Amino acid sequence: GCTGLTSVTLPASVTSIGQYAFASCTGLTSVSIPVNVTSIGYAAFVGCTGLKSAIFQGNAPLGFGDSVFANTAPGFTVYYFTNRTGFTSPTWRGYPSIGLTAPLPPTASWLLAHGLPYDTSLQQDPDGDGVSLLMAYALNLDPRQNLQGLLPAPVLGNDSLSIRYYAATPGITYRVETSRDLSQWTTTGVTLSALDAENQRTASVPRDAAGQFLRLVVQ
């Protein structure tokens, strides 16, 4: 009944998940079952109405109770790795199931961790907040939130215009460009700091014109 619980990390040392362990944790959207889990008790995730996926890292648990994933989100899917044993497709234990090839690309792991199908296009904006999944992934943001107010914003200083942003997502290229007319953009004149302890970088340009702009491009 922990309705505010949106994520949980189960360590590899876990070998069993008890009955009703996460029952009615409606904020959960995805759960990763560690490689050493051999049993999951009755109704362990029953009533998790936001739960869209369960990713099994190891073989299918030998002990698996009734109603483990009963009354979860529409489209709930079990994901497993095809080099593991005991699973079947297109269903397993009565739940829709999909076999994956290990290792997963970082983008697929990120999508599953946030309750989205592993093959969702990062160009999409599922919740319509104006922020694509690609931008959320690049900036290490939770796509389940409204991100309009969480994006990096330029800061006007006495002698510079700067922007600070997360810059350490695998496979992402970051580029900060500047313009004086919102038409012609260039990286010339943009100074980049080193990554800080929070994997953030600051880009800045001298404040030497009445109209000056910065934008962050991710690819």
Side-chain angles (χ1 to χ4, degrees):
C2 298
T3 57
L5 185 68
T6 58
S7 65
V8 61
T9 302
L10 299 174
S13 58
V14 170
T15 59
S16 65
I17 299 173
Q19 62 180 359
Y20 294 108
F22 295 97
S24 299
C25 291
T26 56
L28 283 178
T29 56
S30 180
V31 62
S32 178
I33 308 298
V35 65
N36 293 316
V37 169
T38 58
S39 68
I40 301 179
Y42 175 81
F45 295 92
V46 68
C48 292
T49 54
L51 191 66
K52 297 180 180 179
S53 63
I55 306 101
F56 285 80
Q57 303 295 332
N59 298 330
L62 296 177
F64 193 84
D66 293 334
S67 304
V68 169
F69 297 116
N71 194 25
T72 48
F76 169 82
T77 302
V78 166
Y79 294 92
Y80 64 93
F81 294 107
T82 54
N83 62 344
R84 302 300 189 180
T85 62
F87 292 101
T88 57
S89 286
T91 63
W92 175 75
R93 298 279 188 169
Y95 303 104
S97 60
I98 294 176
L100 304 173
T101 302
L104 283 179
T107 52
S109 298
W110 180 82
L111 287 164
L112 288 172
H114 292 93
L116 295 165
Y118 73 100
D119 55 355
T120 301
S121 169
L122 293 185
Q123 303 303 321
Q124 292 186 26
D125 174 16
D127 59 2
D129 63 359
V131 181
S132 70
L133 290 173
L134 175 62
M135 185 61 74
Y137 174 67
L139 297 179
N140 196 32
L141 298 173
D142 187 342
R144 295 166 295 188
Q145 299 180 1
N146 187 321
L147 300 179
Q148 287 183 331
L150 299 178
L151 295 179
V155 175
L156 187 62
N158 291 332
D159 56 4
S160 68
L161 180 67
S162 64
I163 189 170
R164 184 171 180 261
Y165 57 95
Y166 185 88
T169 298
I172 292 293
T173 300
Y174 302 83
R175 186 173 71 253
V176 175
E177 300 174 337
T178 184
S179 175
R180 296 187 178 182
D181 59 7
L182 292 177
S183 177
Q184 301 296 318
W185 293 87
T186 179
T187 58
T188 301
V190 178
T191 300
L192 297 177
S193 72
L195 283 177
D196 63 20
E198 297 178 333
N199 287 323
Q200 302 270 339
R201 194 186 297 279
T202 299
S204 61
V205 293
R207 183 181 174 184
D208 57 4
Q212 197 144 14
F213 308 91
L214 284 176
R215 73 178 182 186
L216 173 64
V217 180
V218 301
Q219 294 176 313

